[in-house]
Amino acid sequence: MKAMVTLLVVGAIAAMIVGVHPVNAFEEGQTWGYKWVTTWKDALEENSNNTTFKGDVNGKSVNMFFVKYVGNKGNAQEFHYEGVYYSYGYVTGKFSHKDNIGSMNSTVNIKEKSIWINYQGNFTIVKAVKHEIFREESYYGIKNLTVHVYTKKPLNMNMKIEQHYEEVSNGKKGSISMQTELKGTINMYESIIFKEPIPYIPENSTSVTVDTDANYTGHWDVNTQGYADFKGSSQLLGTSNSNFDLNKSLNKNVNGDFNGTVRYVVVFMDKHGNEVERCGIPENIPFAITSIFPSTSSSNSEISPSEFIKQLLLVYHNAKFQGSFYTSIKLNEIPGNINVDFTSHTYSQSVSPKEVKSVENNAPAEYGSYNENSSIYTNTIIWGITAAVAISVIVIAVVLLKRKNKT
């Protein structure tokens, strides 16, 4: 009995300790590149299901980055990364969806005249051994991360969606109007140190979860103009309408240093065969940057660098693991963004550092630019027309649930 108690006590103490050891699996100068290129028309048609769209759609989205092993740095291995997200286009028209649940009709007017975000930085990976009662989990995790993310050209995007829906079973109706506009520039440097390493590369464990804090410092220069408005009503919670009216100003002008701590960050990693599900660093960076703006569900009206970190660690992607690193990454949806995400949510293609750097400097020359006159008339079956539609549905659900909890 005493031996068992001693074992449990030792195990409980050991569970609080994370050992750090050097990683020796990489060759200096080794690189891995990832690329997703999407034509908007193709992206809409690939996500079709019971929805008819009539209107114009034209545009292209490019997302690419590479990771390069720099070398040993103390008891850690250092990597450099850099990438670019470039997107432009428009969707103007009407779509209607009908299934056994109900029907929905929407009018959509989305214009992305310019989204060109470059990013780069370094991260260090250490081997972490997490001792728990009766088992030991080891993995390679990100301990330090530096980020420089900036708009190569000023942002220029706006969207307007009018949506009406009705449930078949009870005839209850609802509507929502969403308008968002954002213009301006963002330039942010951020250095992040995780108290415990963020799981990133598997070792002997197929699954590991870490609870950690993130200390951050940095500098930003944000100069933007815009707004985000959500209005609507719904009968989904009762016989009378539940109305909501949410709006936020995106007019921001700040230039200075910041620091702080994001506490109780829970990050996991799961390995299934040669596929690993892990938080999307660094591929989440260009999407997470707009999360610095206040959400409509928050009472806070100030921009926040901590929200960037939360969004950075919130979204997970599957990646093919071969040898010592990831050969290809499959992107998932990025929820809660101001910008519309037309990224191809498929496994990435390979790309060289030279190509990434070229697009960082000359994206319009290589992939075109916004031209509203070069429309492509589309009368086809599509569903999930944009991430903006998904956002509007999420907003409705959040508002209605909040109202239900208050009653």
Side-chain angles (χ1 to χ4, degrees), residues 81-260:
Y81 68 88
E82 58 182 278
V84 53
Y85 177 74
Y86 177 69
S87 182
Y88 66 89
Y90 62 87
V91 179
T92 302
K94 297 181 179 181
F95 75 91
S96 59
H97 174 79
K98 189 173 183 180
D99 56 25
N100 57 359
I101 298 176
S103 62
M104 180 169 59
N105 298 296
S106 298
T107 300
V108 178
N109 187 359
I110 297 174
K111 297 180 180 180
E112 284 189 358
K113 294 185 178 180
S114 175
I115 298 182
W116 187 354
I117 299 173
N118 288 354
Y119 57 98
Q120 60 182 315
N122 285 28
F123 61 86
T124 58
I125 289 181
V126 299
K127 182 177 179 180
V129 180
K130 185 178 179 182
H131 300 277
E132 296 189 354
I133 299 176
F134 303 125
R135 76 177 191 272
E136 180 181 274
E137 294 177 343
S138 63
Y139 63 95
Y140 297 108
I142 296 177
K143 182 67 175 178
N144 303 294
L145 173 70
T146 62
V147 179
H148 178 206
V149 54
Y150 61 96
T151 50
K152 177 70 173 180
K153 296 291 184 181
L155 297 169
N156 188 343
M157 55 189 178
N158 61 73
M159 66 178 107
K160 181 178 181 180
I161 296 178
E162 300 282 347
Q163 194 174 81
H164 303 273
Y165 56 92
E166 180 178 0
E167 283 192 352
V168 171
S169 60
N170 51 31
K172 291 183 178 180
K173 302 178 180 180
S175 64
I176 184 172
S177 171
M178 182 181 71
Q179 298 185 54
T180 302
E181 181 176 297
L182 180 61
K183 298 180 180 181
T185 59
I186 303 171
N187 189 3
M188 185 173 75
Y189 297 84
E190 190 163 14
S191 177
I192 308 167
I193 300 176
F194 298 104
K195 184 178 179 181
E196 307 295 352
I198 296 296
Y200 195 68
I201 297 177
E203 215 246 344
N204 72 345
S205 299
T206 57
S207 178
V208 62
T209 300
V210 172
D211 186 350
T212 186
D213 295 342
N215 297 312
Y216 62 88
T217 59
H219 181 94
W220 58 6
D221 183 357
V222 181
N223 191 339
T224 59
Q225 306 81 42
Y227 61 90
D229 291 335
F230 300 86
K231 299 178 182 179
S233 63
S234 176
Q235 297 176 334
L236 296 181
L237 294 181
T239 56
S240 61
N241 282 354
S242 296
N243 299 311
F244 51 91
D245 187 350
L246 309 169
N247 57 82
K248 288 289 183 182
S249 171
L250 304 181
N251 296 334
K252 305 299 174 184
N253 190 348
V254 61
N255 188 345
D257 297 332
F258 57 78
N259 62 81

